[in-house]
């Protein structure tokens, strides 16, 4: 390896392995590179002696995650650019041209019109209360993150995130997409259902979903069917549950989980596309409104100055 960062990672993994640690424990030392779902999949591969096929699934999973991340960032880049340009233009007009037009109006003894008064009021409000509002927002965000670190805060915020329109559907689709992929990989590798559910539960980061999955695991260990347990605990959508039920009854659970995974991949793609479309449209509408309002105020003020000078 010639890349210094990759060389450092490989050296660290080699040291961990040479000291007798299993591969999944060595990977867990770098959570910034290897998420829990990857670590648990590698752990399952080591336990069953089928590490190579599971590592192929890990690579596929990481590629899909990076593709989704790239689509999200690509979709947000354009609206962020539009908003930045609109803010820059508005700041230039308000901070540079507006004071000069105001001086001209004052020199001519002309009263500012409605748009000019609104712009001046907004400018004064932003200057006087803007810093305090910004400080309040920063303090609120820090307090929210601190509260989220507690068990109660984590529980409430995780449940709240799932209820937010569109955002909740994206989070749920992402969770079930990863979960169905992991379940299919582990079952296909010959791991028994008890161990499969135990390893899968440890990858769930959302506590609301993890609590329901823990109940599923308990019911399956007590003899319930996996599709029945998922249905009782409101996990997966109705179509996915039907697919799992068919796969379970026909002895082809792996194929059923794979179909569920594809279904949630399509749902995730659709939700992400809708989110980026809404954000882009909203950003463009907001930018157009701000620039149009500022431009209208400037033009009407210039016309007012021209009228005063002609009189």
């Amino acid at each position: 390896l010639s890349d210094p960062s990759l060389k450092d990672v490989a050296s660290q993994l080699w040291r961990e392995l040479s000291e007798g640690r299993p591969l999944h424990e060595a990977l867990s030392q770098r959570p910034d590179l290897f998420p829990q779902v990857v670590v648990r999949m590698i752990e399952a591969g080591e336990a069953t002696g089928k590490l190579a096929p599971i590592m192929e699934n890990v690579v596929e999973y990481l590629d899909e995650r990076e593709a989704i991340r790239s689509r999200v960032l690509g979709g947000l880049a354009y609206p962020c650019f539009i908003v930045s340009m609109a803010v820059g233009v508005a700041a230039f007009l308000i901070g540079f041209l507006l004071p000069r037009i105001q001086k001209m109006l004052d020199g001519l003894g002309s009263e500012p019109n409605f748009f000019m008064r609104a712009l001046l009021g907004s400018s004064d409000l932003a200057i006087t209360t803007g810093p305090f509002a910004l400080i309040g927002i920063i303090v609120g965000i820090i307090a929210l993150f601190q509260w989220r670190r507690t068990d109660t805060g984590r529980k409430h915020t995780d449940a709240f995130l799932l209820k937010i329109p569109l955002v909740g559907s994206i989070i749920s689709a992402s969770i079930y997409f990863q979960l169905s992929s992991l379940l299919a990989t582990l079952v296909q590798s010959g791991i028994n259902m008890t161990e499969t559910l135990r390893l899968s539960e440890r990858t769930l980061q959302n506590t609301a979903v993890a609590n329901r999955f823990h109940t599923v695991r308990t019911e399956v260990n007590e003899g319930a069917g996996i599709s029945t347990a998922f249905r009782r605990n409101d996990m997966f959508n109705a179509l996915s549950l039907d697919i799992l039920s068919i796969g379970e009854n026909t002895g082809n659970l792996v194929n059923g989980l794979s179909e569920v995974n594809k279904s949630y991949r399509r749902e995730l793609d659709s939700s992400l596309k809708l989110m980026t479309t809404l954000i882009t449209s909203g950003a463009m509408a907001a930018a157009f409104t701000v620039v149009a309002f500022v431009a209208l105020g400037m033009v009407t003020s210039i016309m007012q100055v021209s009228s005063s000078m002609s009189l």
Side-chain angles (χ1 to χ4, degrees), residues 59-307:
V59 173
E60 182 179 354
Y61 163 76
L62 293 176
D63 285 341
E64 290 180 345
R65 192 181 71 161
E66 183 62 25
I68 292 172
R69 178 177 175 273
S70 298
R71 279 199 300 274
V72 173
L73 294 178
L76 295 178
Y78 182 67
C80 289
F81 172 76
I82 294 296
V83 171
S84 300
M85 291 296 295
V87 171
V89 171
F92 171 76
L93 295 176
I94 294 175
F96 182 75
L97 293 181
L98 188 61
R100 285 160 176 76
I101 294 178
Q102 178 63 27
K103 288 181 181 179
M104 295 174 60
L105 291 175
D106 293 339
L108 296 172
S110 178
E111 291 293 330
N113 56 31
F114 168 77
F115 294 103
M116 181 61 69
R117 290 196 301 270
L119 290 174
L120 292 173
S122 301
S123 178
D124 293 338
L125 182 65
I127 294 173
T128 55
T129 64
F132 298 101
L134 181 61
I135 293 174
I137 292 173
I138 293 175
V139 171
I141 293 175
I142 294 175
L144 178 62
F145 274 97
Q146 291 295 328
W147 182 57
R148 181 171 166 76
R149 291 183 177 181
T150 64
D151 293 338
T152 302
R154 181 65 179 271
K155 178 180 178 181
H156 283 84
T157 53
D158 282 349
F160 175 74
L161 288 173
L162 295 176
K163 296 178 182 178
I164 301 176
L166 186 57
V167 174
S169 63
I170 291 175
I171 294 175
S172 296
S174 177
I175 291 173
Y176 292 137
F177 167 72
Q178 296 182 20
L179 180 60
S180 58
S181 176
L182 179 59
L183 289 172
T185 301
L186 297 180
V187 173
Q188 188 176 23
S189 300
I191 300 177
N192 62 69
M193 186 56 63
T194 299
E195 186 66 9
T196 293
L197 295 177
R198 184 187 71 83
L199 292 172
S200 300
E201 182 181 349
R202 296 173 65 180
T203 67
L204 296 173
Q205 302 297 315
N206 187 285
T207 55
V209 177
N211 290 336
R212 295 203 300 269
F213 190 84
H214 181 76
T215 306
V216 168
R217 178 186 166 196
T218 301
E219 293 181 1
V220 172
N221 290 339
E222 292 175 353
I226 186 170
S227 60
T228 302
F230 278 134
R231 195 182 300 274
R232 288 176 183 171
N233 292 277
D234 194 26
M235 295 192 69
F236 296 105
N237 54 37
L239 178 60
S240 298
L241 291 171
D242 291 339
I243 294 174
L244 286 178
S245 178
I246 294 172
E248 188 176 21
N249 292 332
T250 58
N252 198 4
L253 183 59
V254 173
N255 185 61
L257 288 168
S258 299
E259 290 300 319
V260 170
N261 179 257
K262 294 177 183 177
S263 173
Y264 275 107
R265 174 60 185 269
R266 291 190 295 268
E267 180 180 339
L268 184 58
D269 288 342
S270 176
S271 298
L272 288 173
K273 183 178 180 180
L274 176 60
M275 183 189 71
T276 53
T277 301
L278 292 176
I279 292 176
T280 301
S281 302
M284 294 184 66
F288 175 79
T289 301
V290 171
V291 174
F293 191 82
V294 173
L296 186 59
M298 305 290 286
V299 171
T300 54
S301 298
I302 292 173
M303 293 177 62
Q304 185 175 346
V305 171
S306 300
S307 300

